[in-house]
Amino acid sequence: MPISRLLIANRGEIAVRIQRAARELGITTIQVYSAADAESLAVRMADEAINIGPFQAAKSYLNIEAVLAAAKATGADAIHPGYGFLSENPVFADAVEAAGLIFVGPKGETIRTMGDKAAARGAAQRVGVPVVPGSEGRVADLDEARRLAEKLGFPVMIKASAGGGGRGIRVAETAEALGAALDQAAAEATAAFGDGGLYLEKFIGNARHIEVQILGDGVNAIHCYERECSLQRRRQKVWEEAPAAVLSLDVREALCASAVALAKSVSYRGAGTLEYLYDEKSQSFYFIEMNTRIQVEHPVTEMITGIDLVREMISIAGGEPLRYQQSDVRLSGHAIEVRINAEDGSHDFRPSPGKVTALQVPGGMGTRFDTLLYAGYAVSPFYDSLLGKLIVWDTSREMALRRLGRALGELKIEGVITTAPLHQRLVEAPEIRAGAFHTRWLEQWLTTKMKPQDAMMEQSSR
Ligand code: ADP
Ligand code: ADP
Ligand code: MG
């Protein structure tokens, strides 16, 4: 059944992004909002908007009853969950379908298998996709964890099965540190996800984070090449690129084929991402998790393939078969995305909410700015600090870096402190220019190269 009225159960830049795709498909957009978001760009842009509760996410954006009641009250026929919030909640996906509505995403059952990270490891192994050496399923207690860790060799990583957004993860360097690390990871996971279940992986030092975008219609599945997201802080992505500069053609082909095999094995429907760690020395990749939703960094893939991923996920949810064969998906040029957060780099990246007094948005060829901002908007302290994503495309990585520097120079956000100056510094860094980095490189660079004084000078000179 084609979708005609789409409820967007999210906020911020992704809500705006989904509205754009829906409008181009001739679909009416219905935006939910919390009391804190009444003045948001997403509410202003939507055809219709409906208040679903107070600012607390638990009472609004995470409140399944409130979202379903809003869908019913507005006559929506489908719900797009965006990323974060309810997007990977199988109970929500099932409840949407039980209410006779379309969930823009995979079946609840698929989210259950692939959204649980310990279970997804098993699914990968069953189709021969290599995983990081680690536990089979969840670990029951400290004794089991200790035995396994001795076998794997320290350091080991303790990860929440239900984890996401970099939370519920700890590294244990030694057997002595294991107990405390397990306790901390379990406590963080229980608080964040209501599920303290943990599993263990060998810690892969100096790896790169490379992930494969896939699209499936429940019958067929294709890949849209890979992204590299190794530049991270606290295991959250800061800067993303497509394609990954380090892959040989053979490795790229094997990596993408493994992702398609795994997606097909679960009859995947919608847009999804399989994340891997990549070891440059041995040219080996290891599956770590699947995100059963649209990702923050999806635009870099759109820029190198010309495929509108959000449009595709909506049309698949409306019952259309995949409109692309694998051979239709061509990789062209290089794209980079940087996340512009309302954070103060000179004070340990603490959030910097407040009113945006002036805004100048970059433009020009190959330049895209996906944002929730408008001049005069008051950035809320209640939600995550992502203000927007600056995305550039050019014919080569080197040219894309130049274009990024140029576009960052045009971006002016006054009234709040942002991470734009950090990205200006990164564009100039020799390691970034050379593409020589790994998942811990940025944190190391921040402690050695980005002294607090530098960050401050950078900001006051803007
Ligand atoms: P993606 O996997 O889509 O690239 P991230 O890995 O940065 O995005 O984040 C994963 C999910 O966690 C996203 O859905 C995002 O909304 C959420 N998230 C990101 N950062 C935070 C944070 N600081 N606190 C809570 N949730 C977050
Ligand atoms: P989340 O669901 O929070 O995104 P992931 O499993 O994707 O968790 O891991 C987040 C990040 O943590 C990865 O991108 C990588 O930088 C790091 N990481 C994850 N697993 C390992 C590992 N086994 N060894 C080293 N680093 C890892
Ligand atoms: Mg991840």
Side-chain angles (χ1 to χ4, degrees), residues 305-326:
T305 62
I307 296 176
D308 182 325
L309 292 167
V310 179
R311 179 191 295 174
E312 292 313 312
M313 67 194 295
I314 295 172
S315 98
I316 291 164
E320 298 288 323
L322 264 182
R323 295 187 308 133
Y324 295 91
Q325 306 277 319
Q326 190 61 64

Side-chain angles (χ1 to χ4, degrees), residues 393-439:
W393 177 92
D394 212 322
T395 48
S396 66
R397 185 170 187 272
E398 197 194 328
M399 292 308 295
L401 279 166
R402 285 199 207 184
R403 184 165 274 170
L404 177 59
R406 187 273 297 164
L408 280 165
E410 290 177 18
L411 176 64
K412 297 222 159 43
I413 302 172
E414 284 169 24
V416 295
I417 299 169
T418 80
T419 51
L422 163 69
H423 293 302
Q424 279 284 18
R425 293 280 306 267
L426 285 172
V427 168
E428 303 297 330
E431 295 91 334
I432 298 285
R433 299 219 152 242
F437 44 74
H438 51 74
T439 54

Side-chain angles (χ1 to χ4, degrees), residues 372-403:
L372 52 66
L373 293 179
Y374 59 81
Y377 175 69
V379 176
S380 163
F382 304 122
Y383 308 105
D384 81 40
S385 54
L386 184 69
L387 298 177
K389 308 176 306 202
L390 176 57
I391 306 118
V392 295
W393 177 92
D394 212 322
T395 48
S396 66
R397 185 170 187 272
E398 197 194 328
M399 292 308 295
L401 279 166
R402 285 199 207 184
R403 184 165 274 170

Side-chain angles (χ1 to χ4, degrees), residues 6-23 29-33 37 40-43 45-46 61 80-83 85 294 298 310 370-372 389:
L6 180 68
L7 184 104
I8 294 131
N10 213 296
R11 63 177 304 281
E13 67 84 23
I14 194 66
V16 172
R17 169 72 188 87
I18 296 163
Q19 286 185 30
R20 288 189 170 128
R23 189 151 297 137
T29 55
I30 307 162
Q31 181 61 52
V32 307
Y33 64 95
D37 281 336
S40 68
L41 182 62
V43 168
M45 278 179 55
Y61 298 109
H80 196 308
Y83 55 67
F85 296 123
I294 193 75
H298 74 276
V310 179
D370 280 21
T371 186
L372 52 66
K389 308 176 306 202

Side-chain angles (χ1 to χ4, degrees), residues 117 164-166 209 211 235 237 275 288-289 291 293 295:
K117 294 160 83 174
H209 174 116
E211 58 186 35
R235 298 186 187 95
K237 298 158 187 166
E275 297 189 333
I288 51 171
E289 69 151 343
N291 292 144
R293 55 173 165 87
Q295 275 190 300

